[in-house]
Amino acid sequence: MSEPLLQVDGLCKTFHVAKSASGNTRLKALDGINLTVGRGETLGLVGESGCGKSTLARTLILLETPDEGTVTFEGTNPFGLRGKELLSWRRRVQMVFQDPFASLNARMNAGDIISEPWATHRSLYPSSREREARVRELLHMVGLRPSDARKCPQEFSGGQRQRLGIARALALNPDVIILDEPVSALDLSVQAQILNLLNDLQQELGVSYVFISHDLTVVRHVADRVAVMYLGRIIETGATEEVFDRPRHPYTAALMSASPKLDVTGAKRDRIVLQGELPSPLDPPSGCRFRTRCWKAQDVCAEMAPEPRVTAAPDGGLRLTECHFPLETVQGLTGATATAG
Ligand SMILES: Nc1ncnc2c1ncn2[C@@H]1O[C@H](COP(=O)(O)OP(=O)(O)OP(=O)(O)O)[C@@H](O)[C@H]1O
Ligand code: SF4
Ligand SMILES: [Mg+2]
């Protein structure tokens, strides 16, 4: 992995909600998240709906305050910062949201949307001439025209609005951009254009991405490394090819097997159909959180949460897996279908 830029350690976030059937009111959306993002790399974040991806994204850009844990950016944890130091931190980690229709203020024109963050970060472009020039430059960078600065969001197509969202995220010259399902609201040809744009910008600016997506094909295409999330925890990380082709956690294996078209080796991969739904984070299973759906579960899985195991991958990178009985090879999947449905 490239040099770590952003490091997340033991991050926990609890929401207080209406009582569940068992009387719980504490919903632990994040339960001890550890991950790193390297300089200039794309970390793909995958997992089922409700597993906590957006909560993690919102915590990384300080929209949520964690109960515990740290997010360290170049050695600084933002949660104790105030004033200028906090502003400076916020500038460096930005976000692009899923829905380009909802995430832009319909009453502002594109120029105002892009320059809005500079009202807070005044020292970046102090004069109106500098701000106007930078708006034009940013529009150009994302493939829009200078005259688009005067248009309002509803005058743009979905793809153009997402370009505008990316220009807004770039306005503060961030080091990391969190992309929460950035292309899932777009049709396929527009998705490809936006993914190419993100790639070009990364090459040009060296910015890091945390790329959240349900679409494994897209993640395989864009990510250098992948983190797999299940019920508030990262249960597997590693280089993209490693995680896709040689999953070690049974949940990752099930996710990947649901996308047989991803198997570029041509080898036949058994489909593992997971039983049941993602359990509620209000009442998570004891021990390993995946045990209620895992075909490899044994008694110890209910008694003890697995510790993260770090192993070296053949490419020299590190793999992290949270499982008492990790799969050793892709062939380890054989036989899983009998119990996994
Ligand atoms: N503000 C909130 N108050 C209470 N519960 C919340 C809040 N935000 C998220 N949750 C709960 O936290 C859990 C994680 O939600 P989150 O939106 O992070 O999931 P996700 O992985 O992004 O899902 P999706 O793929 O559907 O976007 C869910 O159970 C959700 O209901
Ligand atoms: S720890 Fe046990 S239940 Fe959890 S994934 Fe591994 S084998 Fe399955
Ligand atoms: Mg989400």
Side-chain angles (χ1 to χ4, degrees):
M1 193 195 79
S2 49
E3 179 196 344
L5 180 65
L6 190 71
Q7 179 153 346
V8 177
D9 290 299
L11 205 65
C12 297
K13 175 67 193 174
T14 305
F15 294 111
H16 295 273
V17 296
K19 255 189 200 164
S20 70
S22 63
N24 283 346
T25 56
R26 291 164 55 79
L27 185 154
K28 213 158 188 187
L30 305 180
D31 192 11
I33 299 284
N34 301 314
L35 54 83
T36 56
V37 182
R39 193 178 287 281
E41 83 164 349
T42 298
L43 177 74
L45 182 63
V46 299
E48 277 164 290
S49 181
C51 72
K53 303 179 297 294
S54 295
T55 305
L56 175 57
R58 291 168 58 80
T59 311
L60 293 181
I61 60 160
L62 316 186
L63 287 179
E64 303 285 358
T65 308
D67 326 324
E68 280 175 51
T70 56
V71 179
T72 315
F73 181 89
E74 287 188 335
T76 310
N77 178 21
F79 295 109
L81 298 179
R82 296 277 175 278
K84 274 189 182 164
E85 283 176 330
L86 181 60
L87 262 190
S88 153
W89 205 100
R90 281 188 186 278
R91 178 184 79 66
R92 301 181 73 176
V93 186
Q94 292 291 305
M95 183 145 166
V96 172
F97 295 88
Q98 170 178 359
D99 186 351
F101 296 86
S103 65
L104 301 169
N105 187 335
R107 283 171 297 183
M108 290 169 82
N109 68 33
D112 291 340
I113 286 170
I114 292 173
S115 49
E116 193 185 21
W118 302 331
T120 316
H121 299 262
R122 287 174 184 278
S123 58
L124 269 184
Y125 304 102
S127 74
S128 60
R129 182 177 295 183
E130 283 171 288
R131 288 194 290 274
E132 280 162 24
R134 185 64 178 150
V135 165
R136 284 196 297 276
E137 192 178 10
L138 285 164
L139 286 169
H140 177 72
M141 280 167 77
V142 300
L144 296 172
R145 290 175 311 210
S147 58
D148 289 331
R150 292 189 294 278
K151 288 192 194 167
C152 289
Q154 54 275 25
E155 296 174 71
F156 291 105
S157 69
Q160 287 172 328
R161 284 181 223 204
Q162 201 53 307
R163 287 174 190 271
L164 184 53
I166 294 167
R168 179 177 59 180
L170 289 174
L172 294 175
N173 310 322
D175 297 271
V176 182
I177 300 182
I178 318 289
L179 302 141
D180 192 356
E181 301 278 1
V183 294
S184 54
L186 307 173
D187 66 38
L188 274 182
S189 63
V190 182
Q191 278 193 13
Q193 291 166 14
I194 297 294
L195 294 176
N196 287 339
L197 170 66
L198 288 168
N199 184 48
D200 292 347
L201 290 169
Q202 188 170 52
Q203 301 297 320
E204 189 180 332
L205 306 170
V207 63
S208 307
Y209 296 138
V210 177
F211 192 102
I212 300 173
S213 179
H214 283 103
D215 189 332
L216 296 174
T217 312
V218 168
V219 172
R220 182 160 196 163
H221 181 66
V222 302
D224 301 303
R225 285 191 310 127
V226 176
V228 183
M229 198 165 175
Y230 189 81
L231 212 56
R233 286 189 71 82
I234 303 290
I235 51 91
E236 177 150 26
T237 62
T240 304
E241 293 300 313
E242 279 290 313
V243 172
F244 274 80
D245 291 342
R246 284 172 286 282
R248 286 174 58 77
H249 194 286
Y251 176 62
T252 313
L255 269 191
M256 301 312 167
S257 80
S259 299
K261 63 188 171 200
L262 295 177
D263 197 339
V264 292
T265 63
K268 188 174 179 304
R269 201 183 257 197
D270 289 335
R271 172 85 194 266
I272 305 167
V273 181
L274 286 177
Q275 299 283 3
E277 303 276 305
L278 187 76
S280 166
L282 262 171
D283 298 298
S286 64
C288 171
R289 299 181 151 218
F290 185 55
R291 72 173 170 81
T292 51
R293 302 164 83 193
C294 182
W295 66 94
K296 290 196 71 181
Q298 300 187 27
D299 290 350
V300 65
C301 303
E303 290 154 15
M304 215 166 63
E307 290 290 326
R309 292 183 190 205
V310 180
T311 49
D315 67 354
L318 293 180
R319 293 288 298 276
L320 179 147
T321 316
E322 278 193 2
C323 174
H324 291 304
F325 308 104
L327 306 167
E328 294 304 327
T329 65
V330 181
Q331 285 70 42
L333 304 184
T334 305
T337 44
T339 46

